[in-house]
Amino acid sequence: MDEKTKNLHLTSEEISGESSEENSTVQRRGSVASRGTQSAQVDAELAAVRTARASIDEVTLPLENAGVEEDRTTVSRTITQLDDYILPRLATLDAPLTVVVGGSTGAGKSTLVNTLLGEPITRSGAIRPTTRQPVLIHRPEDAEALTPQRILPHLERIEAKNSTELVGADHSERDQIFTVATESIPAGIALIDAPDIDSVSEDNRRLAKQLLSAADLWLFVTTANRYADAVPWEVLHEAAKRDITVAVVLNRVPEGAEDEIEEDLRRMLTGAGITPAHLLTVTEQERDERGMLPAVALTPLVFWLRELGSNADERSRIARQTLEGAVRSVADRMETITAAQTAQFETAQRLQNIVLTSYTQAQKNIIASTQDGALLRGEVLSRWQDFVGTGEFFRSLETGIGRMRDRVAGFFKGQPSQAVEVEQALEVGLHSVIVEQAAQAAETSQRQWLEERAGRVLIGNRDVARVSEDFPARVAEGIRAWQNDVMEMIRAEGAGKRQRARFMSLGVNAAAVILMVVVFSMTGGLTGIEVGIAGGSGVVGTKLLEAVFGEDAVRRMAQGARENLEIRVHELLDEHSEVLTERLDSISLGPEPALLQRSTEEMRATARGLKEAK
């Protein structure tokens, strides 16, 4: 090669080198930008999941609707899975892969774990269930990544004192998990030896499901005799729904039957939509003096776990796949929770409407009784006729309003006692109607509440239809307060009148009683004041007051007095209904269903994002 060609070749290499360096720089910048985008996406996903978690945490489902216990369990399970797995894993996608070893009672899970590690760490026993407390086994350098703040925060941690201490078979009233740090476990992997999924202990079964929900990968252990049992397949179907990576160990298979049983198990797994990441068949073998199988029996599984632990990309893929399935399953549960929350709001509204409708009808009935002349009959009418007279007074009406004005004061002079008697008779009649209608409204509300389970629980053993001992006294106090308001209205109206002398001669009490009679003779319309009811009582009262105050003033006072009465009746009935409404007011229904629905949609969007990133 001549010098010119050589120089040209060198120049090409230099150019090539510069180009490579530029490409590397661009790639590094792209990598940083990509990590920044991924970080922003993870932050957004975390924010959405935390919002959903906060919303679900406020759901208490206090009303006893049909199926509410199952719904409350769904709420509890959802919060637990969010805390145990989804939030920690989403925050630390590069944490060690959590492999939960689960299976039926006596399947040999603890023996399998000890053999995998090459040392007895978790204890199995002859008493069933064997593994009673789960054991978390990890490398010492991974301890920080597996703290309660990052995984399984609801379980009390108990650290093994030394590597020779066998743990996991003691009984405890609390949810606990032992932690063991050992160099024997492959890097990038954390193993959890879980209680039996079909344990005789309900707490063990619950804890086993909780741990399986916190797994990145399920290492499912079964036996030749138990692989077709129903309970394990419930768990496996759940794994298929959540798209969880599953490895299977078929243990204690008789020599010579390996191919036949393994083929049948694979057929069942395929039917369930599961393609196992690894399937190992272990024949029936003697255990050594430490209770462990020959190491060679599990060599394929050991190599698979080591290879998985050393492959960060594969671990990340499995973690994201499981995480996406978990988020999707939570979104599905949130639909159920939203439906349950909607039912709570609808039940509360229905119970509220029962009370509102009953007491609204009671108020209508009370007001109607003050408009149709019912309160101006009997004792009230008798006292009124004694008050106004029946002969000379009515003849005076016939001679004209002008002449009556001159005789009003003289006619009523010396009759304050009759005015008081009319007032008292009105009070008794109105009091009886209010108490009766309140009791009827309470009885109607109670009867309809008792037709619903939620209403029955809210009422409990109390007879809410029974009128409280102090309610009649409060009604009497309310009526007297209304009567005092009427008197104040009369005083205010008469204070500036030119007919003040006639008004003072008539007297405040007499004028107030007449106005009350006028109110009870109104037929509900603003012009109904002219209508006479109960033997002309309304006409009499109206003409008397008009003679002193004028037509417009009487119309205005009567309407004001009626509105005042309706307000006080409403207040009394509201107070009486509190025996029911306070039960609804005392419970917190939690977030609006629409808020939960928005969080559900955000969770589904998070699941889609995780799926696209796999």
Side-chain angles (χ1 to χ4, degrees), residues 168-203:
D170 295 325
H171 180 74
S172 174
E173 297 296 330
R174 300 189 301 275
D175 286 347
Q176 299 174 325
I177 186 167
F178 275 90
T179 60
V180 178
T182 175
E183 299 283 353
S184 302
I185 192 168
I189 299 291
L191 280 178
I192 297 179
D193 186 12
D196 306 326
I197 59 173
D198 58 353
S199 172
V200 295
S201 166
E202 182 179 348
D203 286 340

Side-chain angles (χ1 to χ4, degrees), residues 12-26:
S12 297
E13 288 180 348
E14 289 169 0
I15 293 172
S16 176
E18 289 172 1
S19 177
S20 298
E21 187 176 346
E22 288 175 1
N23 288 338
S24 297
T25 301
V26 170

Side-chain angles (χ1 to χ4, degrees), residues 295-327:
V296 68
L298 302 182
T299 297
L301 181 61
V302 172
F303 284 164
W304 180 72
L305 285 174
R306 285 180 179 171
E307 182 179 354
L308 181 60
S310 63
N311 189 335
D313 290 340
E314 180 63 8
R315 292 202 317 272
S316 177
R317 185 196 66 79
I318 290 174
R320 283 186 174 275
Q321 175 177 307
T322 302
L323 182 58
E324 181 269 328
V327 172

Side-chain angles (χ1 to χ4, degrees), residues 363-391:
Q363 178 160 354
K364 288 180 179 178
N365 293 342
I366 293 169
I367 298 306
S369 72
T370 68
Q371 292 176 332
D372 61 8
L375 289 177
L376 297 180
R377 300 188 181 103
E379 182 70 15
V380 175
L381 179 59
S382 176
R383 297 301 178 191
W384 172 251
Q385 289 175 340
D386 288 344
F387 179 41
V388 300
T390 57

Side-chain angles (χ1 to χ4, degrees), residues 418-488:
Q418 285 94 336
V420 171
E421 289 174 358
V422 175
E423 183 180 10
Q424 290 175 344
L426 285 170
E427 179 181 339
V428 170
L430 183 57
H431 182 279
S432 176
V433 170
I434 293 175
V435 171
E436 179 184 347
Q437 289 298 321
Q440 185 173 324
E443 183 179 351
T444 301
S445 299
Q446 177 175 260
R447 183 178 66 253
Q448 293 184 35
W449 272 36
L450 290 174
E451 293 173 358
E452 294 203 30
R453 179 184 173 190
R456 291 195 297 272
V457 173
L458 284 174
I459 289 175
N461 297 324
R462 296 188 62 179
D463 181 9
V464 298
R466 184 175 60 84
V467 175
S468 62
E469 294 180 0
D470 61 339
F471 183 67
R474 296 200 302 276
V475 172
E477 181 181 343
I479 295 173
R480 286 192 294 272
W482 173 69
Q483 291 170 333
N484 288 334
D485 289 344
V486 173
M487 288 185 186
E488 288 301 318

Side-chain angles (χ1 to χ4, degrees), residues 510-575:
V513 168
I514 295 169
L515 183 57
M516 293 176 201
V517 171
V518 170
V519 169
F520 290 156
S521 69
M522 295 172 67
T523 58
L526 292 177
T527 61
I529 206 167
E530 292 86 356
V531 180
I533 300 178
S537 301
V539 172
V540 171
T542 300
K543 297 303 182 183
L544 280 172
L545 291 181
E546 285 178 355
V548 177
F549 298 105
E551 184 178 346
D552 290 342
V554 173
R555 192 183 303 276
R556 186 177 63 254
M557 285 193 297
Q559 188 62 33
R562 169 164 292 287
E563 291 173 356
N564 185 297
L565 176 61
E566 291 180 3
I567 290 172
R568 290 196 177 275
V569 168
H570 180 75
E571 290 173 348
L572 286 167
L573 293 178
D574 260 5
E575 182 182 350

